[in-house]
Each structure stands twice: as structure tokens, then as C-alpha cells.
Amino acid sequence: MTTSKRPGKPTAGEQPAKPQTAPGGTAPDDEQELRHEIEQTREQLGETAEQLAAKTDVKSQARAKAAAVTGRVKDKTAQIRAKAGDGGAGVRSQAAGKTAQARQQATAAKNQIQARAAGAWQAAPESVRRTAAKAAGTASQRRVPLAVAAAALVAGYLAFRWWRRR
């Protein structure tokens, strides 16, 4: 059996509610003090009602929580972007250093090849040099037909290999 708790009605085992007393422990005698106490009680009751209303307002709680999460996400995003920007600068400088190093190595390799080619050029007989120079001049003047001929040669070679495997 359940007992209902109604304000002002004592249940079994409870003492009836006593009137509130003033801070001194006595009931206020002055009408002004009584009005002041009533006003304070009303303010406290209003604050309590506002707090309860805020707790039961799910929509505003969800908005507040969403705003808090959004703020945290924005902070984290800003931190990650800052770290990425710092890291990106380091990567860029490393890439620039590696690129410069690769250019130097390519230049050195080019110079070595040119030196070896010059030696081979000097060792070649005059007739071979003339023929090579003439071929290079003709190739530079007729690049498109030369490219088509090279492509046809490669395509023919691949077709022949494919036909042999069948």
C-alpha cells in the first residue's frame, strides 16, 4: 500500500510541518518582516521553478550540448590545421632540399655522359661523325614522321610477340 505525499498533510510516522521561523528562532511578529520573508520565499521558489524548467527543457539542453561539442570540434580542427601547417612547411623544405639534390645529381650525370660521349665522338672515324650529324639533323627536322615510324615499329613488335604466344 502506498501513501500519497501531499503538501500540508502528514503521512504515517511524520510530524506535521512547523511554520518557518525567523533566523533568530522565533516567528516574525512584525508585518514588514513577514512580507520580507514571503518575498524571499517567492524568489527562492521562482529560482527553483526556473531550475526545474531548465532541467526538463530537453530542446535547450540539446542545443547547449551541441554548441559545446561544436566548440570542441572547432578547437580540435584548428589545432590539427595548425599542426598540419607546421608539418607541411617541414615537408616542403625537405622536398625542396631533395629536389635540389636530385638536380645536382642529374647535372653531374649529364656532364659525365657528355664527357664520355665526347670521347666516343672523338674516337669515331670522320665518316661516322658526318653520318650521325646528318641523321640527327634529319631527325630534328622530321620529328612527327620519325615518331610515327617508331610507334609502328613498337606496335609491330608487340603484335608479333602476341601472335607467337598464341
Side-chain angles (χ1 to χ4, degrees), residues 34-54:
L34 191 57
R35 288 181 193 270
H36 180 68
E37 250 185 61
I38 290 171
E39 186 62 34
Q40 283 182 340
T41 305
R42 281 185 182 158
E43 286 177 14
Q44 290 173 353
L45 185 59
E47 289 173 7
T48 304
E50 286 176 10
Q51 291 172 356
L52 287 173

Side-chain angles (χ1 to χ4, degrees), residues 3-127:
T3 58
S4 64
K5 290 202 170 204
R6 289 190 207 154
K9 295 234 176 183
T11 59
E14 282 188 13
Q15 297 293 328
K18 295 181 181 177
Q20 284 190 346
T21 58
T26 61
D29 293 331
D30 189 14
E31 185 179 326
Q32 191 69 12
E33 282 182 40
L34 191 57
R35 288 181 193 270
H36 180 68
E37 250 185 61
I38 290 171
E39 186 62 34
Q40 283 182 340
T41 305
R42 281 185 182 158
E43 286 177 14
Q44 290 173 353
L45 185 59
E47 289 173 7
T48 304
E50 286 176 10
Q51 291 172 356
L52 287 173
K55 284 184 180 180
T56 59
D57 189 8
V58 177
K59 197 174 189 179
S60 68
Q61 285 180 356
R63 283 183 186 150
K65 192 168 240 182
V69 169
T70 302
R72 285 195 304 252
V73 167
K74 285 181 180 179
D75 289 344
K76 286 290 184 185
T77 303
Q79 289 175 359
I80 290 170
R81 282 185 178 164
K83 284 183 182 179
D86 294 344
V91 168
R92 276 189 231 114
S93 66
Q94 285 179 352
K98 294 287 184 181
T99 303
Q101 185 180 9
R103 281 185 183 151
Q104 288 174 351
Q105 289 175 349
T107 303
K110 176 185 159 193
N111 291 339
Q112 281 182 343
I113 290 171
Q114 284 178 346
R116 287 183 184 166
W121 184 260
Q122 295 299 325
E126 184 63 34
S127 62

